[in-house]
Structures are given as C-alpha cells and as structure tokens.
Amino acid sequence: MLPITEDHLVIRTDFSDPSAWAAVQADLAQKWDDEFDIYVEIIDDPAYDGLGPEQFLAMAPADYPHQIVVLADSVTMADPERLLLVVSLEESDEEREAFLREHGYWDEETAAGGRGWENGWPQRGGVFRSTAPGVGAIAANLSVANMDLGEFATAVDEQGVFRNFENE
C-alpha cells in the first residue's frame, strides 16, 4: 500500500543516477511562482525501484487521501528538465459518469466527445509530465480543492508537459 501522508507523494523509482536524483530534490526544494513552497513528501526507497504507474494504482486503496502520486522515474533522471510523471489516482470515468447521472449533471453532448483528459474528465491511471514548479502548483491546488486534476492535465503543452501555466 502507498504510505498515507499529509502531503502528496513524490516517489523515486529510478536509482541509476544519484546526481540526477540530487538535482530533482533541489528542484523540489525551490519555490513555485517564486513565493510558494512545494509541499510534497519525498520517498527515496529502493523497494520502489523500477515500478511504474500500474503498480502504484494497485497500491492505492479506494480511500487514499490524495488524487495523485508523482514519480521520479528513468525519464525524469535522463531528461535535462527533470520532468516528473504525475499519475492520477482519481476515480475512473465510469464512477464519475455514474455520479453525474445520479445527480442530474450528465451531459450527453460532452460525453460524446470522449472521456479522458481532453475534456477535463478524471481518468484513473492517466499520466502527464510536469516540471517541479508545476508539481508544486498541482499539489497546492489539489490540497485545498481550488482546482481539479483535469484542469492541470488539459493545460499541458504540445509535448504533454504541465509547466505551471507559463504560456497563459
């Protein structure tokens, strides 16, 4: 099971480059928007070496308190920007659809466009990359329910990276 923590998790899953990991930790120690701390719980445990999103989905209980887990994987370590992998732990589309139908908010027109990030719907297991400042913005806003994960997922750039609304 995933550890239950106050803050969202950033889990190291690649142990091939200690200097790259040190750089990731330094990035996460910076402030986002030049004023806000990045509140995450960093897990640096070789037990997670090589694990991917599917394994973390299986480790998240149904009542897990966070909507995401962030992975520092092999791509993170190899990328000069140290882009982290954000994995959605949100409910599946089917559960969301049932909730919306039950409460009279289902919109057949929106649903016809498909499900997933493209229309802001939650997608359990959906992934996108983010900069460390982006992770700070995501974690902070999800923690206070100011924004939902779909808003971040649909704000990725053409490379599929959330950069903390830099292009707005």
Side-chain angles (χ1 to χ4, degrees):
M1 287 192 36
L2 284 177
I4 305 294
T5 58
E6 185 174 327
D7 296 317
H8 290 85
L9 296 175
V10 173
I11 302 175
R12 180 182 183 186
T13 65
D14 182 281
F15 290 77
S16 64
D17 188 343
S19 63
W21 175 239
V24 169
Q25 290 179 295
D27 289 350
L28 291 168
Q30 301 295 315
K31 297 192 181 292
W32 63 277
D33 280 355
D34 296 325
E35 60 180 306
F36 303 108
D37 289 327
I38 298 174
Y39 290 104
V40 293
E41 178 87 18
I42 295 175
I43 306 291
D44 185 5
D45 183 341
Y48 296 110
D49 189 23
L51 297 184
E54 299 80 19
Q55 288 87 10
F56 289 100
L57 288 170
M59 285 186 238
D63 61 348
Y64 192 69
H66 301 299
Q67 296 166 294
I68 61 168
V69 64
V70 180
L71 307 181
D73 61 2
S74 59
V75 173
T76 305
M77 301 305 174
D79 189 291
E81 288 188 273
R82 295 176 290 281
L83 299 173
L84 297 151
L85 185 67
V86 178
V87 181
S88 172
L89 301 176
E90 287 193 344
E91 63 194 56
S92 70
D93 289 332
E94 293 78 21
E95 291 164 338
R96 180 72 174 156
E97 178 181 329
F99 173 84
L100 293 172
R101 283 184 185 276
E102 179 182 329
H103 291 89
Y105 298 121
W106 181 250
D107 178 358
E108 293 292 343
E109 189 174 325
T110 300
R115 299 190 181 109
W117 299 126
E118 63 275 356
N119 64 7
W121 286 49
Q123 178 180 348
R124 185 168 174 83
V127 297
F128 60 93
R129 294 272 169 192
S130 178
T131 61
V135 167
I138 295 166
N141 282 288
L142 291 179
S143 293
V144 297
N146 185 47
M147 298 174 74
D148 64 35
L149 187 56
E151 292 176 88
F152 297 102
T154 57
V156 298
D157 64 17
E158 55 277 350
Q159 286 83 41
V161 178
F162 176 70
R163 299 182 186 279
N164 196 22
F165 300 110
E166 289 177 4
N167 296 325
E168 291 190 1

